[in-house]
Structure formats: C-alpha cells, structure tokens
C-alpha cells in the first residue's frame, strides 16, 4: 500500500497520515485509509499504529480525528474498520467503541481458528 502511495501520490487509493511531535521528530504513529472499492462515499481504515512507548497519549485519537475530519471534507458517508476478535485486541476494539464506532459484523474463525474478524462502522452526515 505504501509503495503504491509513493509511486502515485496523486492517487486517492491510499491516504497516509503520520503523527510527529514536531517536524524533525521521528514518527510516533501513522494511519492508512482509503475509499472502498466500488462504493460511493464509503472508506476503509486499514491501520492505525502507535509506538508502544507512546500509547495512552491520545495519538491514536488524534490520528482518527484527523481522518474523520478529512473524510467529512470529502463528503464521505461512512467509515469501516476491521480487526481481530482475539483477546489481545480487546483494547483496540474498546478504542473504536469509545469513539462512537458500532460493531456491525463478527466472523468467527475468519483469519484462523480462534481468530475471528470484527467490523466496526461509523456514519457521517445526516442519518
């Protein structure tokens, strides 16, 4: 995804955002999102990653708020996020739920036995 973005930065297929404390500081987090294939106004969030030593500092929230503002400016209708149902992803799922995302699907054993996929959703604009 990143190689595609670097090769074609004018493309809207993958959007990347990086969080730094200042311009010369190393990245502390990043996110990747883009339009869902064959859908109008629907986007997928592929990743939000925050350095382990800087978690619980609102960096993930800042990245997600940036994405939501960007999608609002694009007149996006909705954002979908998928993650694992494994116990170690419980904080990730709670993160999205605290920010207003609704669990809309759960596919048991999707990635592997005892590793299911959960999908979260948030709509933008008029309901």
């Amino acid at each position: 995804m990143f190689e595609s973005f670097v090769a074609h930065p004018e493309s809207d297929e993958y959007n990347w955002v990086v969080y730094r404390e200042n311009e010369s500081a190393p990245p502390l987090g990043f996110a990747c999102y883009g339009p869902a294939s064959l859908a109008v106004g629907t986007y997928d969030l592929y990743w939000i990653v925050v350095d382990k030593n800087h978690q619980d500092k609102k960096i993930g929230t800042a990245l997600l708020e940036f994405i939501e503002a960007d999608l609002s400016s694009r007149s996006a209708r909705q954002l979908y996020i998928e993650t694992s149902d494994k116990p170690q992803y419980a904080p990730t799922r709670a993160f999205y739920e605290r920010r207003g995302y609704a669990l809309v699907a759960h596919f048991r054993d999707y990635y592997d036995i005892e590793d299911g996929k959960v999908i979260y959703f948030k709509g933008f604009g008029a309901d």
Side-chain angles (χ1 to χ4, degrees):
M1 289 177 171
F2 188 70
E3 288 175 1
S4 176
F5 171 74
V6 170
H8 303 284
E10 73 288 350
S11 171
D12 211 19
E13 186 174 4
Y14 301 113
N15 299 287
W16 293 82
V17 58
V18 176
Y19 183 96
R20 301 172 188 265
E21 290 180 332
N22 61 59
E23 262 187 54
S24 61
L28 299 179
F30 70 88
C32 179
Y33 61 103
S37 297
L38 304 174
V40 177
T42 299
Y43 285 75
D44 291 314
L45 175 62
Y46 301 110
W47 292 297
I48 287 186
V49 178
V50 176
D51 181 280
K52 273 194 182 294
N53 296 324
H54 292 86
Q55 292 180 352
D56 295 327
K57 295 184 179 178
K58 307 288 186 203
I59 293 171
T61 298
L63 289 165
L64 190 56
E65 287 174 351
F66 178 90
I67 292 166
E68 289 176 355
D70 181 53
L71 293 180
S72 291
S73 74
R74 297 169 186 255
S75 299
R77 296 183 304 114
Q78 51 199 350
L79 177 63
Y80 285 89
I81 303 167
E82 72 176 61
T83 190
S84 172
D85 71 355
K86 285 183 138 184
Q88 64 258 41
Y89 287 90
T92 300
R93 295 188 302 272
F95 171 82
Y96 294 124
E97 290 168 9
R98 285 191 309 270
R99 282 148 189 87
Y101 286 80
L103 176 62
V104 294
H106 184 189
F107 302 94
R108 299 190 191 287
D109 300 325
Y110 182 86
Y111 299 110
D112 201 351
I113 302 301
E114 297 187 15
D115 188 5
K117 174 166 90 169
V118 293
I119 300 176
Y120 286 92
F121 160 85
K122 189 178 207 180
F124 303 107
D127 288 293

